[in-house]
Amino acid sequence: MMYLEAAESGVLSFQEGTYLSDTLLTFLLGLGIVFVGLVALVAIVKCMGWIMGRKKTSQPVQQPVPVASRPAQQPTDEPNHGELIAAVSAALATVMGKQVNGLRILSIKKVND
């Protein structure tokens, strides 16, 4: 009723105690709702983390299979073609001033001296 009279006069002032108390109540209610919402959001995220973490541990953990050590390779007279192509392509890229992935080597032939 007091608001209706104040609205008709066109002036709402802080001198009336109900206006200030209602404003403070609205502020505290809004602050409380936001705080409760944030706490609920944190609780939901924690529960989801717990549920997702539980799913990971339910699967059996596979141990890595140990790799048997290979005996050292004996040097042979036959060159490693992969290393040869890598060395030639790196040298060509350096001389031409291009990137290695910009080159396409179709064949390599040995030249007799």
Side-chain angles (χ1 to χ4, degrees):
M1 188 73 159
M2 192 177 268
Y3 286 119
L4 186 57
E5 294 170 1
E8 287 175 357
S9 66
V11 177
L12 290 175
S13 66
F14 285 108
Q15 294 174 355
E16 299 175 21
T18 57
Y19 182 73
L20 183 60
S21 66
D22 286 346
T23 304
L24 188 60
L25 179 65
T26 304
F27 169 73
L28 291 176
L29 187 63
L31 191 67
I33 290 172
V34 169
F35 183 73
V36 168
L38 287 175
V39 169
L41 187 62
V42 167
I44 290 170
V45 169
K46 290 279 187 182
C47 288
M48 291 300 292
W50 179 73
I51 290 170
M52 298 306 282
R54 189 179 69 187
K55 284 184 179 180
K56 283 184 181 178
T57 58
S58 65
Q59 295 175 352
V61 178
Q62 296 178 353
Q63 298 294 331
V65 178
V67 178
S69 62
R70 297 179 186 170
Q73 293 181 350
Q74 299 296 327
T76 59
D77 292 337
E78 187 176 315
N80 185 348
H81 292 290
E83 290 179 2
L84 178 66
I85 292 173
V88 169
S89 62
L92 281 173
T94 303
V95 170
M96 296 174 68
K98 294 184 177 182
Q99 296 289 331
V100 175
N101 57 5
L103 298 177
R104 182 175 176 194
I105 298 175
L106 298 177
S107 66
I108 296 178
K109 294 180 182 178
K110 184 176 181 181
V111 178
N112 293 330
D113 290 332

